[in-house]
Amino acid sequence: MYIPPSHPRRESLLIRERLVEGFKRGYVVPEGLIAHGRGECFDYLIGEETREFARKAVRAAAAALLLAKHPVISVNGNTAALVAEHVVRLAEEVPAKIEVNLFYRTREREELIASVLREAGAREVLGVGDDASATIPELFSERRRVSPRGILVADVILVPLEDGDRTEALRRMGKTVIAVDLNPLSRTARAASITIVDNIVRAMPALVEEVRELKKRPKNELQAILGSYDNNQVLAEALDFIKTRLAEIARSMRGASH
């Protein structure tokens, strides 16, 4: 689909087209399209820009990944459709393992997502077929199936575009969970150790750059960054920002009507 460069919603429409293409290829599910629409609504609320509360979370997330002994990036269909190349770059920079994990799991979807990641440069993709032979305790959806070489033994897991059940289950296992979630009220956002309240197409490139920058820093500085991070405070800042921004927009609209 041709979208003229002058179209005011061009970037948003291009993102939608990538998801639709993933749906046509069979690795994005219809529910993923619905989830994207919900997230896009929250992106409107923050003005479709990376805000300071997101930058704080990105910095803490980068520190956590670099300090981890066994970091893993979990990938679902929407993540593969939107940021496969950045997933691979981040995995190389940390370094971290990449694992496919799906709520609507089929062998075909696993293989398709792994193929997309390999096309983007991934050398190894876990969680496909028989490799997803371990299970997360107290989780009963298909997300419970994980790789014994990946999520099962990971200490830090990046779960972009995640559902709350698994985030809570992973936290109960003592793991540090980094979420990318535009909705600061979601169960995922509130259960995660670090929540980046931002669009994944902005958050992942920012995370790659932050990892590259922090790799140069001493370990004690990374520990200080992580130790000073407060996820509840960051979520509160996101909600305060949205509240203030909406109040300002409402005032300007009232002023324009007189």
Side-chain angles (χ1 to χ4, degrees):
M1 177 180 177
Y2 174 71
I3 302 169
S6 59
H7 194 291
R9 301 295 306 158
R10 187 172 192 272
E11 290 305 314
S12 176
L13 292 173
L14 287 172
I15 290 171
R16 293 182 199 179
E17 285 300 310
R18 282 150 69 184
L19 288 167
V20 169
E21 177 62 25
F23 173 73
K24 290 176 179 177
R25 288 180 61 181
Y27 64 87
V28 172
V29 292
E31 293 83 359
L33 301 179
I34 295 169
H36 173 74
R38 180 176 60 191
E40 191 174 51
C41 171
F42 280 92
D43 207 8
Y44 273 53
L45 295 180
I46 64 171
E48 297 176 287
E49 293 182 24
T50 298
R51 302 298 180 177
E52 183 57 30
F53 49 81
R55 285 189 279 269
K56 287 181 183 178
V58 165
R59 191 166 181 80
L65 287 166
L66 289 169
L67 288 168
K69 293 181 179 178
H70 302 289
V72 173
I73 305 168
S74 178
V75 178
N76 65 6
N78 282 27
T79 302
L82 297 177
V83 290
E85 290 183 3
H86 291 99
V87 166
V88 173
R89 286 179 198 163
L90 182 62
E92 290 173 348
E93 291 289 341
V94 172
K97 293 186 180 296
I98 301 172
E99 179 169 340
V100 175
N101 185 273
L102 305 170
F103 188 88
Y104 302 97
R105 183 187 282 270
T106 66
R107 181 61 180 268
E108 181 184 15
R109 283 193 74 211
E110 293 170 357
E111 295 284 2
L112 285 168
I113 291 169
S115 176
V116 170
L117 291 165
R118 291 191 188 101
E119 287 170 10
R123 290 187 289 273
E124 181 182 41
V125 181
L126 305 179
V128 178
D130 294 339
D131 185 57
S133 58
T135 56
I136 298 173
E138 301 178 44
L139 192 63
F140 305 102
S141 73
E142 283 295 285
R143 279 202 184 277
R144 73 187 185 280
R145 295 171 51 197
V146 295
S147 171
R149 301 180 293 135
I151 288 171
L152 185 70
V153 296
D155 53 347
V156 176
I157 308 167
L158 173 62
V159 289
L161 311 183
E162 172 67 1
D163 68 292
D165 283 359
R166 189 169 64 130
T167 300
E168 291 173 342
L170 292 171
R171 290 298 308 278
R172 286 195 295 269
M173 293 175 72
K175 299 179 187 296
T176 296
V177 179
I178 303 164
V180 180
D181 195 332
L182 274 161
N183 178 3
L185 294 170
S186 76
R187 188 169 55 180
T188 300
R190 296 168 74 173
S193 314
I194 300 168
T195 304
I196 303 169
V197 182
D198 201 7
N199 194 316
I200 192 170
V201 301
R202 297 190 298 269
M204 290 298 284
L207 192 49
V208 172
E209 289 305 313
E210 195 67 37
V211 164
R212 286 174 179 162
E213 169 61 26
L214 290 185
K215 281 173 75 171
K216 308 167 189 173
R217 308 294 180 88
K219 185 176 179 179
N220 64 333
E221 187 173 334
L222 301 182
Q223 290 169 332
I225 291 169
L226 191 56
S228 65
Y229 180 80
D230 184 330
N231 201 53
N232 286 331
Q233 177 63 32
V234 164
L235 294 177
E237 289 175 17
L239 290 169
D240 283 340
F241 178 87
I242 291 170
K243 178 182 69 174
T244 301
R245 183 170 182 272
L246 291 179
E248 290 172 352
I249 292 171
R251 280 195 297 272
S252 67
M253 293 176 79
R254 289 191 186 99
S257 66
H258 295 300

